[in-house]
Amino acid sequence: MQLLLGATLIDGTGAAPVPDAAVLINDGRISAVGPRQTVSRPAHADVIDLSGLTLLPGLIDGHDHLASHGYAMTQRWGLHEPLSTVHMRTATVLRQTLATGYTTIRDAAGLDVGFKLAVEEGLIAGPRLMLAVSIISPTGGIGDRVSPSGHDCCIVLDPTLPSGVANGIHEVQQVV
């Protein structure tokens, strides 16, 4: 249990900032919040003094591609460095994203579930992740590996991910 004391609290509701606030965290969840005098101090809570700081809810990014590290052709084809290095780079991006205040990210394709599990298990630091593992698009669209000239291109094939190519309502429902 942690008790955060002394910060100016912006709660994200549009209410006025609360000076000298208290936030009680129990099992990783906020269990009480308000002006310091309104929040009980459990005897066994670790007290963290945030005087002079501002505390606000984490930011949420609803569309990101955390595993995309550039647009050069060699990067898009996965030829610029070993896949293990790409994964380490992605872990660094996750840590940096959390450090900038984003606590939840919806990754809109590119990040596999292993990163979500690694964050949840504490193996790497990062925000909560909500994953769309494949881009859904029609034939010839952004999620189709086959270029208009007929050759496979631009999207590195991951055999563990479902195809995102869907034409029409029924096929989109099946992909989802």
Side-chain angles (χ1 to χ4, degrees):
M1 195 175 276
Q2 296 175 312
L3 182 61
L4 311 178
L5 292 177
T8 297
L9 175 70
I10 298 173
D11 67 10
T13 66
V18 177
D20 196 26
V23 178
L24 183 62
I25 301 170
N26 190 4
D27 286 331
R29 302 265 185 205
I30 295 173
S31 60
V33 63
R36 184 191 298 241
Q37 65 273 16
T38 66
V39 177
S40 299
R41 179 178 179 176
H44 59 284
D46 292 328
V47 176
I48 301 172
D49 183 11
L50 299 179
S51 298
L53 299 175
T54 301
L55 187 61
L56 62 150
L59 301 170
I60 297 171
D61 181 347
H63 185 122
D64 209 320
H65 299 280
L66 295 165
S68 297
H69 306 295
Y71 295 101
M73 191 60 77
T74 56
Q75 287 173 309
R76 290 172 57 187
W77 283 59
L79 302 173
H80 65 296
E81 62 188 351
L83 192 54
S84 56
T85 306
V86 174
H87 292 326
M88 295 301 151
R89 193 172 312 288
T90 301
T92 298
V93 168
L94 287 166
R95 179 180 43 78
Q96 291 169 337
T97 300
L98 181 63
T100 60
Y102 286 89
T103 56
T104 303
I105 302 282
R106 180 182 150 270
D107 192 86
L111 196 64
D112 74 41
V113 73
F115 286 99
K116 178 180 175 64
L117 295 173
V119 168
E120 289 173 354
E121 292 177 23
L123 298 174
I124 59 175
R128 279 184 301 276
L129 296 169
M130 299 172 63
L131 305 180
V133 295
S134 292
I135 294 172
I136 299 174
S137 74
T139 299
I142 190 173
D144 190 356
R145 287 180 41 86
V146 179
S147 73
S149 67
H151 73 282
D152 284 351
C153 74
C154 306
I155 301 169
V156 178
L157 177 63
D158 182 340
T160 66
L161 299 178
S163 170
V165 177
N167 298 294
I169 294 170
H170 178 72
E171 286 186 19
V172 169
Q173 290 172 332
Q174 294 303 311
V175 171
V176 170

